[in-house]
Amino acid sequence: MAALTDPDLLFAAEGRQLSLARALYAGVKDLPIVSPHGHTDPRWYALDEPFPDPAQLLIVPDHYILRMLFSQGVRLEELGVATLDGSLAETDGRAIWRRFAAHYYLFRGTPTRLWLDHVLEHLFGIAEPLTTATADRCYDTIATLLQRDDYRPRALFERFNIEVIATTEGALDDLEWHRTIRDSGWSGRVVTAYRPDAVVDPDFEGFASNLDRLGEITGCDTGNWAGYIEAHRKRRAYFKAFGATSSDHGHPTAETANLSDAAAEELFNRIRRGSEDGRERKLFRAQMLTEMAKMSRDDGLVMQIHPGSWRNHSPSVFRKFGRDKGFDIPTRTDYVTALKPLLDCVGLERDLAIILFTLDETSYARELAPLAGVYPALKLGPAWWFHDSPEGMRRFREMTTETAGFYNTVGFNDDTRAFPSIPARHDVARRVDCAFLARLVAEHRLREDEAHELAGELAYTLAKKAYRL
Amino acid sequence: MAALTDPDLLFAAEGRQLSLARALYAGVKDLPIVSPHGHTDPRWYALDEPFPDPAQLLIVPDHYILRMLFSQGVRLEELGVATLDGSLAETDGRAIWRRFAAHYYLFRGTPTRLWLDHVLEHLFGIAEPLTTATADRCYDTIATLLQRDDYRPRALFERFNIEVIATTEGALDDLEWHRTIRDSGWSGRVVTAYRPDAVVDPDFEGFASNLDRLGEITGCDTGNWAGYIEAHRKRRAYFKAFGATSSDHGHPTAETANLSDAAAEELFNRIRRGSEDGRERKLFRAQMLTEMAKMSRDDGLVMQIHPGSWRNHSPSVFRKFGRDKGFDIPTRTDYVTALKPLLDCVGLERDLAIILFTLDETSYARELAPLAGVYPALKLGPAWWFHDSPEGMRRFREMTTETAGFYNTVGFNDDTRAFPSIPARHDVARRVDCAFLARLVAEHRLREDEAHELAGELAYTLAKKAYRL
Amino acid sequence: MAALTDPDLLFAAEGRQLSLARALYAGVKDLPIVSPHGHTDPRWYALDEPFPDPAQLLIVPDHYILRMLFSQGVRLEELGVATLDGSLAETDGRAIWRRFAAHYYLFRGTPTRLWLDHVLEHLFGIAEPLTTATADRCYDTIATLLQRDDYRPRALFERFNIEVIATTEGALDDLEWHRTIRDSGWSGRVVTAYRPDAVVDPDFEGFASNLDRLGEITGCDTGNWAGYIEAHRKRRAYFKAFGATSSDHGHPTAETANLSDAAAEELFNRIRRGSEDGRERKLFRAQMLTEMAKMSRDDGLVMQIHPGSWRNHSPSVFRKFGRDKGFDIPTRTDYVTALKPLLDCVGLERDLAIILFTLDETSYARELAPLAGVYPALKLGPAWWFHDSPEGMRRFREMTTETAGFYNTVGFNDDTRAFPSIPARHDVARRVDCAFLARLVAEHRLREDEAHELAGELAYTLAKKAYRL
């Protein structure tokens, strides 16, 4: 039976570009995985329990899959997504799997297809295309394997050759699972990252009580600006104690501010009293990005800014199913104006690292590469989310390299909840980068020895360095 | 004498991509043409008279040609374009044709060149490049053929293997030519589409009297909101009786609104009294998109939204020559914010079909693919107008497929007035799609059997399904 | 020892695209250089003194190099950039050169690498890659050659086969060096271009005294609008006497205005009195673009508009080091709305030539190609600055050709201060264009004879025609 995935996946069809890509890839395919930004659940590594059934593992939590099937008329309930009010959702994993298999053709040409075929073949040893006809056989194979000890989280972590993985936790999280991992004596390196949305965004649900809670946890008086800032410093230190080397900031825009201390304090007080308006909430978020950048300058956490997603675009779906159901839509994002206050404050710092991401590819060549190509504090995160795809990564390289070079980028982030797909995602990224480098060599824009060095940097070294891992 | 067009037009130069593209194209090149959106004149099919001279057929009505020649200093009068005040324009078809031939080199690298060479060779049997030296011979050949019965509209329709073609008529049109076609007993399938600009846009010339006329035609009282809405429903039903399966909306922006019935009524009343301002006219257009979407939900007409063209950018040219003379310029277009009111209202409907077009390619990956990749009601129209071109179509696939897949797109629209070029336009689209699929297969991102299936879908099936034809 | 640069640089790796590109390039590689827009120093050609040491010639004045090294933590002082307050900067050319060599790997994948390797090999006969190990040898080779008579500016000008080069001078410049060149009897053709920023932008440093000075030079009363306009006319005539065929306008945006004479006069008076606000300063700049276009219509100077750069984005760097240190960042730029007032006034003039540039590639297909593809007065400048690169030029052709054709573009501008790199820059542009044309021929979109003709137009003829040189 032929393999689901081809050894030359994503390379040129023939000729010198193909042979170069193969040679470059051979040098990087077995490098350890550094996963500096992602959303896997630390509980998995802490408890090391078997993963649930195939559908619960591979379908239900994957918003890439949910969105495509929903767009073609499949109801989320039919895919096992629970409604918030507890009304009926499909619980039969096999039924969900069959539904998915029947619609798998929808993913032709998408990265989901590449990732899943890779997982089916390389993790579960399946060699026949997933269709209605093969759905049950496929399901059984996976379900059986998931019961085996060598398919538990830690075993897979090791089999995947993960050198280090970062999860992301909210500022109020007690990092219990990270503590469990640390105390277990297991050698796998799992670190956290500081995600303070719930305590920097006045529009976040429960913001006021979140600040109270932040005060309790830290022993700081979050009723005033100085105490609030101090509380952040303490939490960041706590996160660092569990391996964190970065913070993560998912604002709607990249807007920053650089208020005087007095003005920041006054703004905080208004917000704490609940007497602020929408403009002030926005300004507060903007100011907090600069505050976080200053803290990063001081404590060395790498700062990641992920702006430009309009979360929960459909209020009906949000009300019925909650967050992360595929209804986050990118928006046009400005960086040159938005980041200026922050950059005026700390942009020239050589020891600060701020990694910028975008969902608006028009900013690559026009804004992000020129900014990262001159400000020492800035680096470019990889092609993100909707652009974590062969064409998206290719456009990223084509539109950033000539102005920012390779060395102002930071390697690959898988950014995923989908643990089994991590090797597949890194494999796609390594292949696309090797194919890009092969093109540069074939066009005599780069020497072959340089391309080999770069392939290793893009696959492994840059991520380690940029994230200080 | 060598052919004007090559059998491998638009395919890779050699190797596996070429052989794959050839194989895919072989499977679709003879499929019938489904033309679900266009602007040919139903009078042609109704009366079946010979087409006029070569220049009147191929040059004078083609705004792609007029704009390029005008940009290089040729006056529109010299190309036979009549001024509104009746001052002198060239009437000698041969003189116009010679002028065009002398400037044909300007079209190198443009789709006009591909289309016209295809028409010259495949429709008129011409095998020598069009130049000053060959202009007269070429003109004579075409002029002679146009007199033959087998070059009349119906004969060409049949020769072109058109399964169905849609024209576009204004809401006040009596559809006389469609009636003539229907009553003629001819087997050709020509349907209309509902284009209500003149009765939904308060800025349209004669808007108030257009509404009066709408009332007369339908027997509804268009002096009030309920009667006005009812009048639309009746006209849509009338259009459906002449085969319409879609409506077409060419607003300056994609802005929509979702007013309460009372607010919509109040807005309509202000506009009907002529006491509205510019903001309210805009709001009315926005509200009417949502109203039309609701009607589409009810009556099943597929809704097409074509936003973002600044019509008649040059007031001098507009005053002298009127509309459609090449001075429509694309503008930056927002969808994520603009469509939200409409989507909040009907975006989750699984039986509603709204097809979005754009002249702003930056929206493909950032907005349109994410929206169409999750909202059941949305689909993506093909690369449009300035982007109805090999590079434009390639970018469309590269920037939409990974997020929206192929199945949230709707095949090809020729969108043309230029009847003789319809096979050429579909041929270019089929070739570009086959070349794209060939690349995916060559890069092992798609299996060959899937590519064959997709080639047929993109060339034929998706358009039929999406437009319910 | 192998060459640093490959004869097939930037061509396809093999097959028909490679052989076509080679053939096309063979026909244009030795064409004279027409450099219609640049920033070399006319003093060089006037005095014909030896160039300074390698670092002062190739590193210190190159903002592409400064920005990349600064982004990776190298201080500008270490690269020999003098601070405005005269504090210490590196003055040892060899030390600067070694620092650069140690960081040369940062430029992998950038055009700087291509240009510099070309200069090292073709101008200085160096065949080994620049690294820390080879830095001294390389420095010595260059330093020695720079002392030779055949490496002086005029000898290089002739060796480079420059048919004509334009420099750019401010409106108040006395053109002394151009006079010296003219009086020297040297046959090299060096012309100036009229750059009036200092006397059209109220935000320019010393604007009021600049206007006084403009009055003194011209004998016009620049205290009133009529005199001010007349002064521009006189200066333009003066520049024309020194060969100028163009003016150059570097506004922050493309905004234009078309005020009545009375309103323009009133605006000028307010500004002259210093009683204007920011909005009026912006309006004045906008109006002056239209005034300059009208003067171009009258005196035949080709008008170049270079909008969209946010100059000196970092105030700290600007305060410490001044202008042009790599901190100019592109911004999103609108043309369709911004240019309308100017176009309404003079856009249909067939004898006027306005060349548009952009740093915002999103405008190529959406705005610039549609505008230049219909307005007789408009042409498109080449891919500019950050986009003067292989990928940038390729995108330019891919996104403009199908709508505007080749003949609404104007060939290549090197736009550089870096005299030794001029042949390298033109070589890269010629290669990219030949590779693009080769693709069109290989895909049967263009005949080979047409591609040969176009290769010559893009490399040479279009620039001569468009700039009236």
Side-chain angles (χ1 to χ4, degrees):
Chain A
M1 194 176 287
L4 270 188
T5 64
D6 192 278
D8 290 328
L9 175 67
L10 291 166
F11 299 159
E14 58 240 319
R16 184 148 162 70
Q17 282 196 52
L18 174 59
S19 58
L20 285 164
R22 280 176 177 162
L24 293 168
Y25 177 69
V28 300
K29 75 186 171 59
D30 295 324
L31 287 176
I33 286 176
V34 173
S35 175
H37 177 98
H39 301 282
T40 58
D41 190 340
R43 194 177 191 281
W44 298 333
Y45 316 118
L47 301 185
D48 201 32
E49 294 170 340
F51 283 111
D53 76 57
Q56 288 299 328
L57 178 63
L58 297 170
I59 313 296
V60 186
D62 189 328
H63 55 74
Y64 290 90
I65 291 175
L66 301 182
R67 68 189 335 273
M68 180 66 89
L69 270 60
F70 189 77
S71 80
Q72 288 279 321
V74 182
R75 282 192 292 265
L76 294 179
E77 301 91 320
E78 298 176 285
L79 297 168
V81 179
T83 55
L84 295 181
D85 68 2
S87 65
L88 212 62
E90 179 69 71
T91 55
D92 177 358
R94 187 179 297 271
I96 294 168
W97 186 261
R98 284 176 179 164
R99 227 162 257 142
F100 172 66
H103 290 89
Y104 193 44
Y105 71 97
L106 295 175
F107 294 92
R108 289 168 177 169
T110 74
T112 294
R113 158 69 179 272
L114 300 184
W115 298 330
L116 205 73
D117 274 6
H118 188 284
V119 169
L120 294 179
E121 176 177 344
H122 293 287
L123 185 56
F124 297 114
I126 293 166
E128 59 187 359
L130 178 62
T131 62
T132 294
T134 65
D136 275 359
R137 206 157 45 225
C138 183
Y139 186 86
D140 291 334
T141 301
I142 300 171
T144 305
L145 289 171
L146 289 180
Q147 297 311 308
R148 288 183 11 189
D149 283 350
D150 58 342
Y151 279 80
R152 293 199 182 208
R154 291 184 181 183
L156 291 183
F157 185 102
E158 286 154 14
R159 186 200 303 191
F160 291 170
N161 196 16
I162 296 175
E163 181 174 311
V164 54
I165 197 168
T167 67
T168 310
E169 273 74 43
L172 303 176
D173 195 288
D174 60 10
L175 306 182
E176 170 195 1
W177 302 117
H178 283 275
R179 183 183 302 275
T180 307
I181 296 166
R182 192 180 63 182
D183 295 349
S184 74
W186 176 53
S187 65
R189 185 167 172 213
V190 179
V191 302
T192 182
Y194 187 64
R195 174 113 186 190
D197 301 25
V199 291
V200 299
D201 178 2
D203 282 322
F204 206 93
E205 284 177 346
F207 179 69
S209 56
N210 292 342
L211 259 54
D212 294 343
R213 177 85 188 115
L214 178 65
E216 291 162 27
I217 296 172
T218 56
C220 297
D221 179 1
T222 55
N224 66 61
W225 175 243
Y228 168 72
I229 290 294
E230 184 56 23
H232 274 293
R233 292 188 187 277
K234 286 199 175 174
R235 288 311 285 165
R236 294 168 64 102
Y238 184 78
F239 273 62
K240 283 181 74 174
F242 289 95
T245 68
S246 67
S247 66
D248 183 28
H249 306 272
H251 290 210
T253 74
E255 204 178 348
T256 64
N258 189 15
L259 302 174
S260 68
D261 285 349
E265 183 171 0
E266 165 63 19
L267 177 62
F268 179 79
N269 291 340
R270 287 181 62 82
I271 284 169
R272 214 51 181 113
R273 287 195 304 269
S275 57
E276 87 287 0
D277 58 22
R279 194 192 57 78
E280 288 168 320
R281 285 193 290 274
K282 203 170 136 192
L283 180 60
F284 186 74
R285 282 192 295 267
Q287 178 63 24
M288 285 311 296
L289 278 184
T290 306
E291 295 295 338
M292 289 288 151
K294 289 190 286 187
M295 289 186 207
S296 278
R297 181 192 53 194
D298 298 343
D299 66 15
L301 287 186
V302 173
M303 180 179 194
Q304 301 171 90
I305 304 180
H306 285 90
S309 176
W310 182 323
R311 304 277 170 176
N312 313 305
H313 193 263
S314 167
S316 321
V317 172
F318 181 60
R319 276 193 304 269
K320 190 163 177 187
F321 297 100
R323 296 176 173 274
D324 298 327
K325 295 301 172 290
F327 276 89
D328 299 341
I329 308 288
T331 57
R332 194 181 293 143
T333 305
D334 162 74
Y335 294 87
V336 174
T337 306
L339 291 176
K340 194 165 189 305
L342 181 152
L343 292 172
D344 285 352
C345 180
V346 298
L348 304 183
E349 299 285 342
R350 286 196 296 269
D351 296 330
L352 172 64
I354 299 173
I355 300 177
L356 300 175
F357 292 80
T358 197
L359 293 173
D360 180 356
E361 293 181 324
T362 69
S363 66
Y364 284 152
R366 186 183 58 220
E367 305 182 30
L368 292 177
L371 286 168
V374 71
Y375 278 100
L378 297 181
K379 296 275 179 298
L380 300 186
W384 176 45
W385 198 339
F386 296 102
H387 307 310
D388 179 7
S389 64
E391 304 293 338
M393 290 187 231
R394 184 177 55 77
R395 286 195 293 268
F396 173 79
R397 291 287 175 214
E398 288 178 358
M399 295 200 277
T400 65
T401 306
E402 294 181 319
T403 291
F406 290 104
Y407 292 88
N408 284 306
T409 65
V410 303
F412 179 65
N413 292 177
D414 56 68
D415 191 31
T416 193
R417 280 174 183 74
F419 183 65
S421 74
I422 286 177
R425 288 166 190 255
H426 285 259
D427 187 61
V428 167
R430 289 171 182 191
R431 287 171 177 277
V432 173
D433 279 338
C434 287
F436 180 70
L437 292 170
R439 180 160 77 82
L440 295 193
V441 175
E443 295 178 357
H444 311 286
R445 296 156 71 177
L446 199 65
R447 290 193 315 274
E448 196 168 347
D449 64 316
E450 297 175 296
H452 277 280
E453 193 179 318
L454 276 164
E457 304 260 16
L458 302 183
Y460 176 75
T461 321
L462 285 179
K464 280 195 73 162
K465 279 190 211 162
Y467 281 89
R468 302 173 181 182
L469 285 164
Chain B
M1 196 175 290
L4 271 190
T5 64
D6 192 278
D8 289 329
L9 175 68
L10 291 166
F11 299 158
E14 58 240 319
R16 184 149 161 70
Q17 282 197 51
L18 174 59
S19 58
L20 284 163
R22 280 177 178 161
L24 293 168
Y25 177 68
V28 300
K29 74 184 171 64
D30 295 325
L31 287 175
I33 286 175
V34 173
S35 176
H37 177 97
H39 302 282
T40 57
D41 190 340
R43 192 177 192 278
W44 298 334
Y45 317 117
L47 301 186
D48 200 31
E49 294 170 340
F51 283 111
D53 76 57
Q56 288 299 327
L57 178 63
L58 297 170
I59 313 295
V60 187
D62 188 327
H63 56 73
Y64 289 90
I65 291 176
L66 300 182
R67 67 188 334 276
M68 180 67 89
L69 269 60
F70 190 76
S71 80
Q72 288 279 322
V74 182
R75 283 192 291 267
L76 294 179
E77 300 90 319
E78 298 176 286
L79 297 167
V81 180
T83 55
L84 296 180
D85 68 3
S87 64
L88 212 62
E90 180 69 70
T91 53
D92 178 358
R94 186 179 298 270
I96 295 168
W97 185 261
R98 285 176 178 167
R99 227 162 257 144
F100 173 66
H103 290 90
Y104 192 44
Y105 71 97
L106 295 175
F107 294 92
R108 289 168 176 169
T110 73
T112 294
R113 157 68 180 274
L114 300 183
W115 299 330
L116 204 74
D117 274 5
H118 188 285
V119 169
L120 294 180
E121 177 176 343
H122 294 286
L123 184 55
F124 297 114
I126 293 166
E128 59 187 357
L130 179 61
T131 63
T132 294
T134 64
D136 274 0
R137 206 154 49 225
C138 182
Y139 187 87
D140 291 336
T141 301
I142 300 172
T144 305
L145 289 171
L146 290 180
Q147 296 311 311
R148 288 184 9 187
D149 283 352
D150 59 341
Y151 278 80
R152 294 198 181 207
R154 291 184 180 182
L156 291 184
F157 186 102
E158 286 155 14
R159 187 199 303 189
F160 291 169
N161 196 16
I162 296 174
E163 181 173 312
V164 54
I165 197 168
T167 67
T168 311
E169 273 75 42
L172 303 176
D173 195 289
D174 60 9
L175 305 182
E176 170 196 0
W177 303 117
H178 283 274
R179 182 182 303 274
T180 308
I181 296 165
R182 191 179 65 183
D183 295 350
S184 75
W186 176 52
S187 65
R189 185 169 172 212
V190 179
V191 303
T192 183
Y194 187 63
R195 174 111 186 191
D197 301 24
V199 291
V200 299
D201 178 2
D203 282 322
F204 207 94
E205 285 177 344
F207 179 70
S209 56
N210 292 342
L211 259 55
D212 295 341
R213 177 82 187 119
L214 179 65
E216 291 162 27
I217 296 172
T218 56
C220 298
D221 178 2
T222 56
N224 67 62
W225 174 242
Y228 168 73
I229 290 294
E230 184 57 24
H232 274 294
R233 292 188 188 279
K234 286 200 174 172
R235 288 311 285 166
R236 294 167 64 102
Y238 184 78
F239 273 61
K240 283 181 75 174
F242 289 93
T245 68
S246 66
S247 66
D248 183 29
H249 306 271
H251 289 211
T253 74
E255 204 179 347
T256 65
N258 190 13
L259 302 175
S260 69
D261 284 348
E265 182 171 1
E266 164 62 20
L267 177 63
F268 179 79
N269 291 340
R270 286 180 61 81
I271 284 169
R272 212 53 179 114
R273 287 194 306 269
S275 58
E276 87 286 359
D277 58 23
R279 196 192 56 77
E280 288 168 319
R281 284 193 291 274
K282 204 170 135 192
L283 180 60
F284 187 74
R285 283 192 294 268
Q287 179 62 24
M288 285 311 296
L289 279 184
T290 306
E291 296 295 337
M292 289 289 151
K294 290 190 284 187
M295 289 185 207
S296 278
R297 181 192 54 195
D298 298 342
D299 66 17
L301 287 186
V302 173
M303 180 179 195
Q304 300 172 89
I305 303 181
H306 285 88
S309 176
W310 182 322
R311 304 277 170 176
N312 313 306
H313 193 263
S314 167
S316 321
V317 172
F318 180 60
R319 277 192 304 269
K320 189 162 176 187
F321 297 100
R323 297 177 172 273
D324 296 328
K325 296 303 174 286
F327 276 89
D328 299 341
I329 309 288
T331 57
R332 194 182 292 143
T333 305
D334 162 74
Y335 294 87
V336 175
T337 307
L339 291 177
K340 193 164 190 304
L342 181 152
L343 292 171
D344 285 351
C345 180
V346 297
L348 304 182
E349 299 285 343
R350 284 196 298 268
D351 295 330
L352 171 63
I354 299 174
I355 300 177
L356 298 175
F357 293 79
T358 197
L359 293 173
D360 180 356
E361 292 181 325
T362 70
S363 66
Y364 284 152
R366 187 183 56 220
E367 305 182 31
L368 292 177
L371 287 168
V374 70
Y375 278 101
L378 297 182
K379 296 274 180 297
L380 300 186
W384 176 45
W385 198 338
F386 295 100
H387 307 312
D388 178 6
S389 64
E391 304 293 337
M393 290 186 229
R394 183 177 55 78
R395 286 196 293 269
F396 173 80
R397 291 288 175 214
E398 288 179 358
M399 295 200 276
T400 64
T401 305
E402 294 181 320
T403 290
F406 290 105
Y407 293 89
N408 284 307
T409 65
V410 302
F412 179 65
N413 292 177
D414 56 69
D415 191 29
T416 194
R417 281 174 182 76
F419 182 65
S421 74
I422 286 177
R425 288 165 190 256
H426 285 259
D427 187 61
V428 167
R430 289 171 182 189
R431 288 172 176 275
V432 173
D433 278 339
C434 288
F436 180 71
L437 293 169
R439 179 160 79 82
L440 295 192
V441 175
E443 295 178 358
H444 311 286
R445 298 155 71 176
L446 199 65
R447 289 192 316 274
E448 196 168 346
D449 64 314
E450 296 176 296
H452 278 281
E453 192 178 319
L454 276 164
E457 304 260 16
L458 301 183
Y460 176 76
T461 321
L462 285 179
K464 280 194 73 161
K465 280 191 209 160
Y467 282 89
R468 303 173 179 181
L469 284 165
Chain C
M1 193 175 287
L4 271 189
T5 64
D6 192 279
D8 290 329
L9 175 68
L10 292 165
F11 300 158
E14 59 240 320
R16 185 149 161 69
Q17 281 196 52
L18 174 59
S19 57
L20 284 164
R22 280 177 178 163
L24 293 168
Y25 177 68
V28 300
K29 75 184 170 63
D30 295 324
L31 286 175
I33 286 176
V34 173
S35 176
H37 177 98
H39 301 281
T40 58
D41 190 339
R43 194 177 189 280
W44 299 333
Y45 316 118
L47 301 185
D48 201 31
E49 294 170 341
F51 283 111
D53 76 57
Q56 288 299 328
L57 178 63
L58 297 170
I59 313 297
V60 186
D62 188 327
H63 56 72
Y64 289 90
I65 291 176
L66 301 182
R67 68 190 333 275
M68 180 66 88
L69 269 61
F70 190 77
S71 80
Q72 288 279 322
V74 182
R75 283 193 291 267
L76 294 180
E77 301 90 320
E78 298 176 285
L79 296 168
V81 180
T83 55
L84 295 181
D85 68 3
S87 63
L88 213 62
E90 180 69 71
T91 54
D92 178 359
R94 188 178 298 271
I96 294 167
W97 186 262
R98 284 177 180 165
R99 227 161 256 142
F100 173 65
H103 290 90
Y104 193 43
Y105 72 97
L106 296 175
F107 294 92
R108 288 168 177 169
T110 73
T112 294
R113 157 70 178 272
L114 300 184
W115 298 330
L116 203 74
D117 275 5
H118 187 285
V119 169
L120 294 180
E121 176 176 344
H122 293 287
L123 185 55
F124 298 114
I126 293 165
E128 59 187 359
L130 178 61
T131 63
T132 295
T134 64
D136 276 358
R137 207 156 44 226
C138 183
Y139 186 86
D140 291 334
T141 302
I142 300 172
T144 305
L145 289 171
L146 289 180
Q147 296 311 311
R148 288 185 8 190
D149 283 351
D150 59 340
Y151 279 79
R152 294 197 180 208
R154 290 185 182 181
L156 292 183
F157 186 102
E158 286 155 13
R159 188 199 304 188
F160 291 170
N161 196 16
I162 296 175
E163 182 173 311
V164 54
I165 197 168
T167 67
T168 311
E169 273 74 42
L172 303 176
D173 195 289
D174 60 10
L175 306 183
E176 170 197 359
W177 303 118
H178 283 276
R179 183 183 303 276
T180 307
I181 296 165
R182 191 178 65 182
D183 295 349
S184 74
W186 176 51
S187 66
R189 185 169 172 211
V190 179
V191 303
T192 184
Y194 186 64
R195 174 109 186 194
D197 301 26
V199 292
V200 300
D201 178 3
D203 282 323
F204 206 93
E205 286 177 344
F207 179 70
S209 55
N210 292 344
L211 259 54
D212 294 342
R213 178 82 188 120
L214 180 64
E216 290 162 28
I217 295 171
T218 56
C220 297
D221 179 1
T222 56
N224 66 62
W225 174 243
Y228 168 72
I229 290 294
E230 183 56 24
H232 274 294
R233 293 190 187 276
K234 286 200 175 173
R235 288 310 287 165
R236 294 168 65 102
Y238 184 78
F239 274 62
K240 284 182 73 175
F242 288 94
T245 68
S246 67
S247 66
D248 183 29
H249 306 272
H251 290 210
T253 73
E255 203 179 348
T256 64
N258 190 14
L259 302 175
S260 68
D261 285 346
E265 183 171 359
E266 164 62 20
L267 177 63
F268 179 78
N269 291 339
R270 286 181 60 82
I271 284 170
R272 214 49 182 116
R273 286 194 305 267
S275 58
E276 88 285 1
D277 59 21
R279 194 192 57 78
E280 287 168 319
R281 284 193 291 275
K282 202 170 137 193
L283 180 60
F284 186 74
R285 282 192 295 269
Q287 178 63 24
M288 285 311 297
L289 279 184
T290 306
E291 295 296 338
M292 289 289 150
K294 290 191 284 186
M295 289 185 208
S296 278
R297 180 191 55 194
D298 297 342
D299 66 17
L301 287 186
V302 173
M303 181 180 194
Q304 301 171 89
I305 303 180
H306 285 90
S309 176
W310 182 322
R311 304 278 170 173
N312 313 306
H313 193 263
S314 167
S316 321
V317 172
F318 181 59
R319 276 192 304 269
K320 190 163 176 187
F321 296 99
R323 297 176 173 272
D324 297 326
K325 295 301 173 289
F327 275 89
D328 299 340
I329 309 289
T331 57
R332 195 180 291 143
T333 305
D334 162 74
Y335 294 87
V336 174
T337 306
L339 291 177
K340 193 165 190 305
L342 182 152
L343 292 172
D344 285 353
C345 179
V346 297
L348 304 183
E349 298 285 343
R350 286 196 298 267
D351 295 329
L352 171 63
I354 300 173
I355 300 176
L356 300 175
F357 293 80
T358 198
L359 292 172
D360 180 356
E361 293 181 324
T362 69
S363 65
Y364 284 152
R366 185 184 58 221
E367 305 182 31
L368 291 177
L371 287 169
V374 70
Y375 278 101
L378 297 181
K379 296 276 178 299
L380 300 186
W384 176 45
W385 198 340
F386 296 101
H387 307 312
D388 178 6
S389 64
E391 304 293 338
M393 290 186 230
R394 184 178 53 79
R395 287 196 291 270
F396 173 80
R397 290 289 174 214
E398 289 178 358
M399 295 200 276
T400 64
T401 306
E402 294 181 320
T403 291
F406 290 104
Y407 292 90
N408 284 306
T409 65
V410 303
F412 179 65
N413 291 178
D414 55 70
D415 192 29
T416 194
R417 282 174 182 74
F419 181 65
S421 74
I422 286 177
R425 290 165 188 255
H426 285 259
D427 188 62
V428 167
R430 289 171 182 189
R431 287 173 177 277
V432 173
D433 279 338
C434 287
F436 180 71
L437 292 169
R439 180 160 78 82
L440 295 193
V441 176
E443 295 178 358
H444 310 286
R445 296 156 71 177
L446 198 64
R447 290 192 317 273
E448 196 169 347
D449 64 316
E450 295 176 298
H452 277 281
E453 192 178 320
L454 276 164
E457 305 259 17
L458 301 183
Y460 176 76
T461 321
L462 285 179
K464 280 195 72 163
K465 279 191 210 160
Y467 281 89
R468 303 175 178 179
L469 284 165

